Amino acid sequence: MPQLPLDRFKVLDLTRIRSGPTCVKQFADWGADVIKIEPPQDEAGYGNRDSSDFQNLHRNKRSLTLDLKTEEGQEVLGKLIDGADVLVENFRPGVKARLGLDWPTLHARNPRLVLGSISGFGQTGPYADRPGFDQVAQGMGGLMSITGLPGQGPVRVGVPIADLTAGLFCAMGLMMALLERERTGQGQWVQSSLLQAQIAMLDFQAARWLIDGEVPGQAGNDHPTAVPMGVYPTSDGLMNIAVNGARMWRDFCTVISRPDLVESPEYATPKARLANRAALNALLYDLTRTWTTRDLTEALLATGIPCGPINSIDAVFADPQVQHLPIVAEVDHPTRGRQRLVGQPIQIDGISPVMRSATPDCGQHTDEVLSELGYTSDQITALRNGGIA
């Protein structure tokens, strides 16, 4: 097995649903020893293990079952914490305090431990104890107000973007904390929340309000501030075209055989094109419909104008560039056979993430992990018989 960048770290995964597992997946894929701690009964809320979603999220981990509500379960967890580098959780603040997973308690026990906490709305403040849910964060964080066609009403995006980005931001913070630990010898508490992550992902749309005092609205498939940039019809479908700057505008007009538009007062400048977007797009739709998607794509790319087809998911993975990139990973599952998973979008020269193992069965590694902690076979049997492990 090749060495991986994070293979010297032990990570305790007490997360569930999506934001936390997304965070932990970054460590698991890049070599960390991740121990997923689950209730012995595989309680509701931890997901359908047979689903493609669960199988994709939890690869490269070991599974330990443990009842954290018991004294014996807490004792096992304490031994794990003593030897861990990172613990990741997404409990509500009050719950983690009851389980002894609050920062002061953990830091006192293992000063080198780095704690990652993901919440819906933050660890403090008026909403700290509210349950978090991706679509709620999309709504409260403003994303739904700028997604969809003008006048359509709020629309959620097609992936749980708040969950995903909160997990990724937390993973980035944890890695920074591990780097800082190399200098100070001390762990730190890393926090992210769905609401903060969603607001951060508003990016320039948030800046339009914070700096310019402008409240963005829905722009549908059009870019909010640039024209022509959006979805355009062709004779056999739809495609995205992104014309940005004077040079691209001139070349675009040449490709569509309308060089007269370059100097037209209504369309000559970015400000004029934005003000007259509806009229310009209506004109362009009639022109792009005379092309096939492939022909117009090739003509525009020849001039350096970004564009491309709008693919269904199956078409995405049939694309030759996608097949060239190492974005699909494969792993052998003991009962499901060879599985294709969504790989890592990061490439490092000379290093590749390895799909070492498929998503484990609930408690698959309980005996193994307990043995590593020094428990005898009789003690492990007693813990199992007592419903603790």
Side-chain angles (χ1 to χ4, degrees):
M1 186 70 68
Q3 286 191 318
L4 291 171
L6 304 181
D7 61 10
R8 64 192 184 276
F9 298 118
K10 178 169 287 187
V11 178
L12 304 182
D13 177 11
L14 285 107
T15 70
R16 55 180 179 173
I17 312 302
R18 186 171 312 280
S19 61
T22 296
C23 170
V24 175
K25 184 171 69 172
Q26 313 316 309
F27 287 87
D29 282 2
W30 292 102
D33 177 14
V34 174
I35 300 174
K36 177 175 172 57
I37 300 172
E38 308 181 71
Q41 294 77 31
D42 194 14
E43 293 173 354
Y46 278 74
N48 174 9
R49 300 190 91 86
D50 291 328
S51 69
S52 56
D53 184 22
F54 199 97
Q55 290 293 313
N56 186 63
L57 267 178
H58 297 285
R59 73 277 187 110
N60 288 334
K61 299 178 182 180
R62 297 194 287 168
S63 173
L64 164 71
T65 49
L66 203 59
D67 186 350
L68 298 181
K69 297 175 184 176
T70 65
E71 183 177 338
E72 296 89 343
Q74 284 284 318
E75 182 180 346
V76 174
L77 178 61
K79 291 181 179 182
L80 285 167
I81 289 169
D82 289 341
D85 297 288
V86 176
L87 186 152
V88 188
E89 57 83 20
N90 56 354
F91 296 112
R92 279 185 266 175
V95 174
K96 69 167 143 280
R98 291 196 298 273
L99 293 173
L101 298 173
D102 56 286
W103 173 240
T105 300
L106 291 172
H107 188 57
R109 176 156 194 148
N110 179 358
R112 288 179 55 80
L113 182 74
V114 174
L115 171 64
S117 296
I118 305 174
S119 61
F121 302 96
Q123 299 297 315
T124 59
Y127 301 163
D129 288 320
R130 289 188 182 185
F133 188 75
D134 175 82
Q135 189 163 331
V136 174
Q138 286 193 34
M140 294 178 69
L143 181 62
M144 293 175 67
S145 75
I146 56 173
T147 304
L149 299 171
Q152 179 180 9
V155 177
R156 68 179 293 275
V157 301
V159 295
I161 192 71
D163 274 341
L164 296 173
T165 52
L168 292 172
F169 286 143
C170 188
M172 184 167 60
L174 289 168
M175 292 182 195
M176 285 190 286
L178 288 169
L179 287 172
E180 178 68 5
R181 191 183 71 173
E182 292 180 0
R183 182 164 54 189
T184 67
Q186 294 289 307
Q188 293 178 308
W189 187 13
V190 176
Q191 305 168 38
S192 70
S193 72
L194 274 60
L195 183 60
Q196 287 168 291
Q198 182 57 82
I199 293 170
M201 293 304 291
L202 292 178
D203 196 61
F204 76 96
Q205 295 281 46
R208 290 172 69 184
W209 162 249
L210 292 172
I211 296 174
D212 301 328
E214 180 182 355
V215 179
Q218 293 169 302
N221 288 319
D222 293 321
H223 189 277
T225 60
V227 184
M229 193 176 294
V231 174
Y232 291 84
T234 62
S235 63
D236 56 356
L238 298 163
M239 65 180 291
N240 281 309
I241 300 172
V243 176
N244 188 29
R247 194 279 301 169
M248 285 192 189
W249 172 236
R250 183 179 62 253
D251 289 348
F252 178 70
C253 292
T254 299
V255 168
I256 62 174
S257 301
R258 286 298 304 269
D260 57 297
L261 297 176
V262 175
E263 302 299 334
S264 171
E266 296 91 342
Y267 311 129
T269 66
K271 187 175 182 179
R273 291 195 292 276
L274 183 60
N276 296 289
R277 172 160 45 198
L280 177 57
N281 274 342
L283 185 156
L284 295 178
Y285 293 161
D286 287 340
L287 294 170
T288 59
R289 281 193 183 96
T290 66
W291 295 72
T292 65
T293 299
R294 180 173 181 173
D295 288 346
L296 186 52
T297 297
E298 291 178 353
L300 294 175
L301 288 177
T303 69
I305 295 174
C307 61
I310 299 172
N311 290 330
S312 58
I313 303 299
D314 57 337
V316 169
F317 290 101
D319 186 282
Q321 181 64 24
V322 174
Q323 293 182 349
H324 169 77
L325 295 170
I327 192 59
V328 175
E330 295 189 349
V331 68
D332 288 317
H333 190 283
T335 59
R336 300 164 65 100
R338 195 73 169 167
Q339 287 191 134
R340 296 200 304 162
L341 306 173
V342 182
Q344 284 286 342
I346 301 169
Q347 291 175 253
I348 304 174
D349 283 350
I351 303 172
S352 298
V354 177
M355 293 298 111
R356 304 180 303 283
S357 59
T359 290
D361 290 337
C362 186
Q364 179 178 330
H365 303 94
T366 296
D367 291 6
E368 177 179 292
V369 174
L370 291 175
S371 295
E372 292 170 1
L373 292 174
Y375 286 86
T376 66
S377 58
D378 288 344
Q379 289 173 320
I380 294 171
T381 299
L383 290 172
R384 283 194 175 278
N385 289 341
I388 296 156

